[in-house]
Structures are given as structure tokens and as C-alpha cells.
Amino acid sequence: MVESVEKDLCAAVALGETVEHLLVLDDDPDMCAFVVHAGASTGYEATSSTNFERFKASLRPDTSVVVLDLMMPEVDGIQVLRYLSSQKYASEIVLISGYDKKVLKVAEQLAKALGLDVRAAIEKPIKLNQLQEILTTRRDAKRQSPTGRGSGESFADQESIRRAITDNQLLVHYQPQFSIKTRELAGVEALARWQHPTRGVLPAGAFIEAFEASGLIDELTWIVIKKILADKKARGFGDARVAVSMNISALSLRDLSLPEKLLSVITDHGGVPSDFIFEITESGLIRELGTALDILARLRLKGFGLSIDDFGTGYAMMQQLQRVPAKELKLDMTFVQSMLTDQSANTIVRRTIELAHDLHMHVVAEGVETAPQLSTLLEYGCDVAQGYLLGRPVPIVALPRN
């Protein structure tokens, strides 16, 4: 079977058909041969290098996957990751190592922080079928980028963005949040969507960066708020008043008049501050900390709710818990989704819930996709869960009332 696939690959190359290139860097020739064989058997044109200089020379514009051993005698894998990031290679990365599981995990996190796309991180020894399964999982060209930002620049130019605003192409979908103990609707998160005329409904990650670069991010914020208030008036969220969470761009936290502007827009359209919980990312706070803390304090004084979003992925977690007048903390989905298989993630989830409760904060777990995850969060005392297990983001008409 493998020989047949390799023959088909050779034939495809001979005919000039497009074949993805896989490049492996490992100082062990036998491991190189093993990965090349796995790559060829899954439809790649696979080549290998045993040293960094040859690896650099072998990288091509069509190299779609790089398989990288972290333990190299001259240049280690971390240095290679930095090189790939500096050269802005779009290749997916498969990290391999027989050294230490924790180092492998750190390397994966570093690669993502560098803007690289990590397909997998696996420990040696590697089984052939394991590697073949990883290599068979092709990239979805439409998915969100590793940083959470989409490559919106190609379609979200200034003219397209302004047309999205004037032609009412911007939508709001809602993802329900449920009390883990009672299973009652506890809140909803409002998520911006763009009904693009040629690309369909786009998630916020595909265009937020373009709105920020265009200077129109606040305009998007006002549109989302007005749509939320109109939806609440038309249908309501549950039997009682349910707050709506929404993200505030870090760029908006540079405007000292933001609290007054938000209050004016919301009250002018029939809303009250307690209708809203504004989610602030840790990394966003770092950029303009003094101004941000001024704004956040005044938002709380005006009655708005505040939530620290993506907790655990920022730069100074403990400082933000102490400084920011937030009453809610959102556990990042990366910890929630790995807590049953990764002891470190499990400990972080459990201890974070305990810490938040000691600080009299509400805890929302994002990215809940399985019943065992929900059961574990219930055991750890988490307050609210949000994720595909409980409900996907939907238009207001499809949102459950309770």
C-alpha cells in the first residue's frame, strides 16, 4: 500500500501536479528516513536535512509542513523556531522530542507565541501510524490563525470595511453561558460576525485586526452594542435580566472618555450599564496600563461589569487580578480542553477556580466540549460553562430562553 502511494506521488510530480512539500530536520539519519517515509506515504514530497544550514537551503515557498526535532547538537529546535518566525514562514510545524515532555510543551507554546502554526507536538519514540495520522490532517485554509487573528487583510480593506458598516453587513451572534450547578441560562456572550457578500459569515477573528488598523474599531463596538440592545428589547435573554458579555479592544482602552461614551450610547438606546459585562484580555491591559486602569475603574463605578478574558495566557496574571476591578474571570479554553490529559493544565484550572473564589470572583470556563470536562468543572466548583457542548454561537432567534 505504501509503495503504491509513493509511486502515485512520483507520477504526480512527473506530471507537474501540485504536491505539498514536507521537510524534516533531525540529526539522526534514521529518524529522517522514517519521517520521509511517513510523509511520502501520506502524499507529500518529503525531504530531510541533518543540519541547520542544509535545512535553511532546503526550505521552499511550497514547504507546507516542517517536522522539527528539538534536540540538535549545533542549533537547537528553539533557535530554529525563532528563525522560521523571523522569516515569516507559513509552514505548519510538527515538533518531536525524546528529551522532556514539559520542554516539548513549552516549545509548542513558544512557537505559537512566535506566530507559528503548530500542527502537533509528539514525544519519541514515534509510531508510524501515529505520524501518518498527524500528516494526513490537512490544513483548513479558512480557519482562524494561531494568534486568534485571521488573515483579513486580503479582503478587509478600508473600502470593504466601510461598506460593511454602511450596508449593515455586521451581525451579532450569541453563545449561551449556563450555570454548571443549576443548568440555567446565566448569561450570553455577544460575538461580532460579518456577513461578507462573497465569503459568507466570517467570525470576528477574521476581521477584528483590520478594523483596528483602519481606526474603526470603536465604530464596530457601537454597532454591536446597538444590535445587542435591539435584540434584548425584541426578545430578551431568559426570564430575568441576563447580562451580555462582549469584548472591548485594547485600542479602545487608550481613550479616557470611553466610559462616558459607552454610558451615553447604551442609555440613549434604552439600556442600563448592568446589561453589559466588558471582557478585557490580560495582554491588552499591559499596553497602556495606567490609562486602562483609569478607564476600568470608572466603568465599574458607572455600573458596568468587567471580566478578565483568556485568563492564563497573558503576561502578569497575578498583578491583573490585584489591580483590575473585575468581578468575573474567564478560564481560557486551552486549559479547559487539555485539563483531562495534561496534569499541569488540570492543576491550573483547579487552583485558578479556588483563587478566583477567594477573591470573590465569578469563574466562567470557555471551550467546554465534552461531558467529562463539564463534570470536572462541577467537581472543582466552577460557576459557569460556555462551549459547543452547551451551545454554539447563534443568531438571537435561535438562542434558548432558559
Side-chain angles (χ1 to χ4, degrees), residues 18-76:
T18 301
V19 178
E20 293 181 82
H21 178 230
L22 177 149
L23 178 60
V24 55
L25 174 59
D26 196 304
D27 63 318
D28 182 352
D30 290 337
M31 178 55 69
C32 283
F34 172 79
V35 177
V36 166
H37 171 70
S41 70
T42 51
Y44 289 91
E45 178 192 354
T47 60
S48 66
S49 299
T50 55
N51 68 70
F52 184 50
E53 292 304 319
R54 191 176 299 121
F55 169 80
K56 288 195 293 184
S58 300
L59 279 167
R60 303 175 349 199
D62 66 334
T63 302
S64 62
V65 177
V66 169
V67 180
L68 173 62
D69 182 17
L70 294 178
M71 287 290 292
M72 300 286 293
E74 297 176 359
V75 177
D76 63 57

Side-chain angles (χ1 to χ4, degrees), residues 170-177 185-194 202-205 207-208 217 220-232 237 242-249 266 275-280 307 309 328 330 364 366 386-387 391-396 399:
L170 298 168
L171 315 171
V172 178
H173 285 185
Y174 301 90
Q175 187 167 29
Q177 302 169 335
L185 186 69
V188 294
E189 181 175 3
L191 301 161
R193 296 289 185 261
W194 182 354
L202 300 174
F207 59 85
I208 290 296
I217 189 63
L220 176 61
T221 298
W222 312 139
I223 290 171
V224 169
I225 287 174
K226 291 172 185 177
K227 288 184 178 293
I228 289 170
L229 291 170
D231 287 339
K232 285 178 71 70
F237 300 125
V242 173
V244 181
S245 301
M246 62 173 286
N247 285 288
I248 290 291
S249 168
I266 288 168
D275 286 337
F276 290 87
I277 298 174
F278 295 121
E279 298 184 2
I280 315 296
S307 176
D309 194 18
E328 180 181 281
K330 297 192 79 172
V364 178
E366 295 186 291
Q386 173 182 345
R392 293 173 178 266
V394 293
I396 184 63
L399 188 70

Side-chain angles (χ1 to χ4, degrees), residues 149 208 212 217-218 221 247-254 258 279-280 284 287:
R149 304 291 190 185
I208 290 296
E212 290 178 333
I217 189 63
D218 285 342
T221 298
N247 285 288
I248 290 291
S249 168
L251 296 181
S252 299
L253 296 180
R254 300 174 180 178
L258 180 66
E279 298 184 2
I280 315 296
R287 299 179 190 177

Side-chain angles (χ1 to χ4, degrees), residues 12 31 43 66 71 76 105 124 153 206 240 262-263 267 288 294-295 342 347 350 357 359 382 390-392:
M31 178 55 69
V66 169
M71 287 290 292
D76 63 57
K105 186 71 174 178
K124 293 180 179 179
E153 292 79 0
L262 287 168
L263 182 63
T267 55
E288 300 281 348
D294 178 312
I295 292 168
D342 185 322
T347 301
R350 179 163 49 85
H357 286 167
L359 294 172
C382 186
L390 302 165
R392 293 173 178 266

Side-chain angles (χ1 to χ4, degrees), residues 6 15 95 133 167 221 228 243 249 265 275 303 335 350 354 366:
E6 291 175 338
L15 290 170
L95 298 172
E133 182 177 354
D167 293 354
T221 298
I228 289 170
S249 168
V265 169
D275 286 337
F335 297 111
R350 179 163 49 85
E354 292 174 359
E366 295 186 291

